[in-house]
């Protein structure tokens, strides 16, 4: 299946291991990635906060580029924040033809045009809805038996439900748990899985931000998780890059690795921790990597 | 008639006993609200169950509780819907709202949290001078603009699960912020700038909202408090250029400018620019403190190999960045910001027709 692929900014910036892992995983699950390398930042909600029309126009530009990709069945992202920010703009663009025409008038300078109704999905949704859990199960080369994984969704992919297609796909807020079980690992329940990582206020109120991250990490550790997994690179920044700082705000030692969603899938598909960029995390992934490699030896 | 199991969290401070769960069996039609079932249990089984309620029609805002972990009004949540979200498919968990102290069972102290926060935003009109002899004449559009915030019934459901408030109990919060916009958006009010300065300068004000959409999701009246917070920020930065001490103004400006210049996010520039504008700004003591404070994180990023030093210094522009710049120029050049509020304008007739068509097809195929 060919998809118009929007990797986002952070997956090529401060979490390059995410984009790298996705490129390795894609062919293994039958995805052909047509990268939108001329597309712009989704605005992460900040540009919409500044000027709605600007955010809507910038994302309509990306949607138009995705629609112009020959043979692409849909647009795919690998970032919960891109998903949420883009879905917000799409909701307005699709609701009013008059508004859409005004935006398209701006895009006409680039010979681009957004037609209502683009399908834009995070890789998590594509994997479950378009590729399917049965197919994924059949592709597993290394069942992650004994690995205890705590899911962390990121707000933008779970709320608000009416904007994010939960009417048609009511189980989207359980996909991580479902995938974790299908690849043989154990999904760990803890209070923070559907809460906020705190990243959006890291520059405005570090205490509010890292207290949130720290509590969720602590809860996952207390629930016995070996690692967290997230489909959002911005959550990853607060949960992994900032984890040593977060310790100070919750007055406890943390030290739990945080995997990107495609990395976890890659491990189950037989890819090695190193090629999936697991060496490029702030919190060491060595123990998880060792557990996984040991599994391979016994398989 | 179906039978429902209510699992109610009981707590009575004067009893000296810890909080505990208690089950009640209720026979009732599924289209009846959860509140009816709670009242039935209180009237027929145990008169000591504490629940606050009045209108039973989602207008008074008294009966906010958590149902299966999600905050909602007990009077407009149907039993059949509640049981559909029950973890075991049978038992409906009912507990008091969060972020507020419990007075008894399902009754929380709204005064201690919610109403205190509402008072913080001065929830009344501050007119410019003496009131006019006759009524104020206000343009229709201006009142329509604040309609959404006026729909708030102060039930506290958004306060209950506000994720920033969980981490910072001082956060002004979603309901009070929506109330603030009620007056910031009102043309009769003369204190617009003062209100915005207070909300922006407060370390637990509008820039403490973590943008998690929780309040948007749970509000039973469609107020979308977080959207109102974003509108407050837009007015504070765009209309009044309030350079707050929380870096809210600078963060927005830095982000917007970076995308105008490069097209994608240059993360290594975002942080320093959010702390201080230009070289001089970065030299001010507060910016220095923030920059030094974030140095260990930056160093860890480089040491882990995830942040290549070259990336800090150099960021690629998009191949046709000029086009992105043109979009910026055109939109910034408009006389006024264009804002499409779907709560007010609703969807197009054609959009509605299409969704109706989808509903028909779904029914036809099911």
């Amino acid at each position: 299946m060919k998809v118009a692929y929007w990797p986002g900014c952070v997956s090529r910036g401060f979490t390059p291991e995410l984009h790298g892992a996705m490129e390795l995983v894609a062919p293994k699950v039958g995805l052909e990635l047509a990268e939108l390398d001329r597309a712009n930042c989704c605005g992460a909600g900040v540009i919409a906060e500044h000027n709605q029309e600007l955010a809507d126009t910038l994302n309509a530009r990306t949607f138009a580029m995705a629609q112009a990709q020959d043979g692409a069945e849909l647009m795919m992202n690998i970032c919960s924040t891109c998903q949420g920010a883009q879905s917000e703009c799409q909701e307005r663009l699709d609701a009013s033809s008059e508004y859409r025409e005004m935006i398209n008038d701006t895009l006409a300078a680039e010979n681009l045009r957004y037609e209502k109704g683009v399908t834009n999905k995070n890789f998590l949704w594509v994997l479950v809805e378009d590729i399917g859990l049965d197919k994924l199960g059949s592709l597993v080369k290394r069942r992650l038996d004994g690995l205890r994984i705590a899911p962390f969704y990121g707000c933008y992919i779970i709320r608000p439900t009416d904007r994010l297609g939960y009417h048609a796909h009511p189980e989207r807020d359980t996909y991580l748990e479902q995938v974790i079980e299908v690849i043989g690992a154990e999904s760990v329940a803890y209070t923070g899985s559907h809460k906020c990582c705190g990243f959006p206020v890291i520059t405005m109120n570090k205490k509010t931000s890292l207290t949130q991250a720290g509590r969720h990490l602590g809860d996952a550790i207390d629930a016995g998780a070996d690692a967290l997994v997230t489909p959002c690179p911005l959550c990853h920044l607060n949960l992994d890059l900032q984890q040593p700082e977060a310790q100070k705000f919750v007055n406890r030692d943390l030290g739990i690795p945080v995997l990107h969603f495609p990395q976890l899938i890659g491990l189950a598909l037989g890819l090695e921790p190193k090629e999936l960029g697991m060496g490029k995390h702030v919190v060491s992934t060595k123990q998880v990597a060792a557990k996984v490699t040991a599994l391979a030896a016994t398989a | 008639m179906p039978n429902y199991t209510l699992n109610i969290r009981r707590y009575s401070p004067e009893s000296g006993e810890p909080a505990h769960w208690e089950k009640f069996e209720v026979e009732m039609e599924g289209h009846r609200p959860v509140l009816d079932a709670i009242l039935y249990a209180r009237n027929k089984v145990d008169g000591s169950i504490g629940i606050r309620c009045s209108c039973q029609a989602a207008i008074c805002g008294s009966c906010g509780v958590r149902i299966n972990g999600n905050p909602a009004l007990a009077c407009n949540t149907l039993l059949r819907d509640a049981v559909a979200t029950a973890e075991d498919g049978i038992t409906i968990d009912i507990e008091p709202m969060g972020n507020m102290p419990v007075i008894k069972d399902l009754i929380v102290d709204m005064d201690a949290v919610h109403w205190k926060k509402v008072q913080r935003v001065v929830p009344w009109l501050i007119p410019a001078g003496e009131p006019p002899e006759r009524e104020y004449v206000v343009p229709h559009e201006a009142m329509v603009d604040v309609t959404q915030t006026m729909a708030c019934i102060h039930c506290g459901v958004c306060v209950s699960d506000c994720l920033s408030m969980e981490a910072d109990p001082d956060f002004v919060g979603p309901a009070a912020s929506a109330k603030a916009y009620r007056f910031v958006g009102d043309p009769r009010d003369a204190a617009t700038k003062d209100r915005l300065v207070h909300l922006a300068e407060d370390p637990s004000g509008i820039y403490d909202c973590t943008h998690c959409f929780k309040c948007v999701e749970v509000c039973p009246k469609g107020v979308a408090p977080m959207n109102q917070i974003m509108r407050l920020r837009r007015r504070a930065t765009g209309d009044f250029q309030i350079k707050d001490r929380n870096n809210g103004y600078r963060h927005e400006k830095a982000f917007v400018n970076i995308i105008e210049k490069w097209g994608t996010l240059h993360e290594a520039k975002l942080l320093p620019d959010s702390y201080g504008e230009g070289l001089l700004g970065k030299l001010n003591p507060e910016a220095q403190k923030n920059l030094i404070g974030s140095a260990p994180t930056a160093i860890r990023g480089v040491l882990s190999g995830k942040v290549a030093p070259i990336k800090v210094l150099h960021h690629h522009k998009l191949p046709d960045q000029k086009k992105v710049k043109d979009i910026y120029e055109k939109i910034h050049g408009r006389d006024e910001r264009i804002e499409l509020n779907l709560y007010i304008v609703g969807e197009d007739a054609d959009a509605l027709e299409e969704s109706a068509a989808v509903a028909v097809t779904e029914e036809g195929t099911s």
Side-chain angles (χ1 to χ4, degrees), chain B residues 202-362:
Chain B
D202 185 340
S204 300
I206 47 175
Y207 293 115
D208 203 18
C209 164
T210 185
H211 214 269
C212 73
F213 295 98
K214 193 80 189 192
C215 57
V216 178
E217 179 69 20
V218 300
C219 174
K221 306 302 279 187
V223 173
M226 191 197 95
N227 296 3
Q228 312 308 331
I229 295 174
M230 295 309 127
R231 299 170 91 193
L232 287 168
R233 290 185 183 180
R234 205 175 297 147
R235 298 291 307 271
T237 56
D239 295 346
F240 293 96
Q241 277 88 41
I242 298 166
K243 295 180 179 167
D244 59 284
R245 57 179 157 182
N246 301 306
N247 306 320
Y249 173 87
R250 276 190 301 274
H251 175 70
E252 182 198 299
K253 193 162 187 235
F255 196 110
V256 170
N257 289 350
I258 284 171
I259 307 308
E260 182 176 17
K261 190 162 179 197
W262 283 281
T264 55
L265 189 60
H266 186 350
E267 297 138 307
K269 243 185 112 46
L270 181 62
L271 203 70
D273 284 3
S274 296
Y275 289 146
E277 205 179 338
L279 185 61
L280 271 181
K282 286 182 188 64
L283 289 173
N284 102 30
E286 194 54 28
Q288 284 287 306
K289 200 179 97 194
N290 283 326
L291 285 168
I292 292 166
S294 56
T297 304
I299 292 165
R300 279 185 209 109
V302 172
L303 290 180
S304 69
K306 68 161 54 226
V307 181
I310 183 75
K311 257 192 215 162
V312 176
L313 302 168
H314 180 73
H315 187 74
H316 283 288
K317 277 186 188 177
L318 284 183
D320 33 17
Q321 182 53 24
K322 173 79 177 59
K323 307 287 185 192
V324 172
K325 254 197 148 106
D326 290 346
I327 292 175
Y328 266 75
E329 254 167 47
K330 177 171 177 179
I331 293 171
H332 281 157
R334 290 197 198 281
D335 294 334
E336 54 181 9
R337 284 191 307 269
I338 295 170
E339 209 177 304
L340 187 73
N341 188 338
L342 295 178
Y343 178 86
I344 290 160
V345 300
E347 286 187 32
D348 264 0
D350 72 310
L352 288 175
E353 269 166 33
E354 272 174 41
S355 55
V358 171
V360 168
T361 330
E362 278 176 359

Side-chain angles (χ1 to χ4, degrees), chain B residues 56-133:
Chain B
Q56 309 190 30
I59 287 298
C60 75
S62 303
C63 66
V65 292
R66 270 187 181 151
I67 301 171
N68 299 325
N70 295 310
L73 293 176
C75 72
N76 79 339
T77 307
L78 305 185
L79 282 165
R80 64 178 175 223
D81 296 335
V83 85
T85 62
E87 201 168 290
D88 62 359
I90 301 165
T91 316
I92 302 170
D93 288 340
I94 303 165
E95 49 188 324
M97 291 194 286
N99 280 332
M100 288 176 272
V102 177
I103 294 175
K104 183 178 190 298
D105 297 337
L106 303 175
I107 302 170
V108 297
D109 192 347
M110 295 279 285
D111 287 336
V113 180
H114 172 70
W115 292 112
K116 265 213 174 88
K117 291 178 189 296
V118 171
Q119 281 163 23
R120 232 164 97 186
V121 304
V122 193
W124 56 80
L125 193 82
I126 302 174
E130 289 298 306
E133 266 176 44

Side-chain angles (χ1 to χ4, degrees), chain B residues 36-75:
Chain B
D36 282 5
I38 299 170
L39 292 179
Y40 179 91
R42 188 185 71 179
N43 297 341
K44 303 282 184 188
V45 187
D46 182 346
S48 73
I49 296 174
I51 171 84
R52 187 160 40 203
C53 67
S54 177
C55 77
Q56 309 190 30
I59 287 298
C60 75
S62 303
C63 66
V65 292
R66 270 187 181 151
I67 301 171
N68 299 325
N70 295 310
L73 293 176
C75 72

Side-chain angles (χ1 to χ4, degrees), chain A residues 18 37 69 74 86 159 210 237 242 251 257 270:
Chain A
L18 166 59
D37 54 4
Q69 279 290 337
L74 49 85
Q86 289 175 332
R159 288 180 291 270
L210 293 183
L237 291 179
Q242 295 280 3
N251 297 315

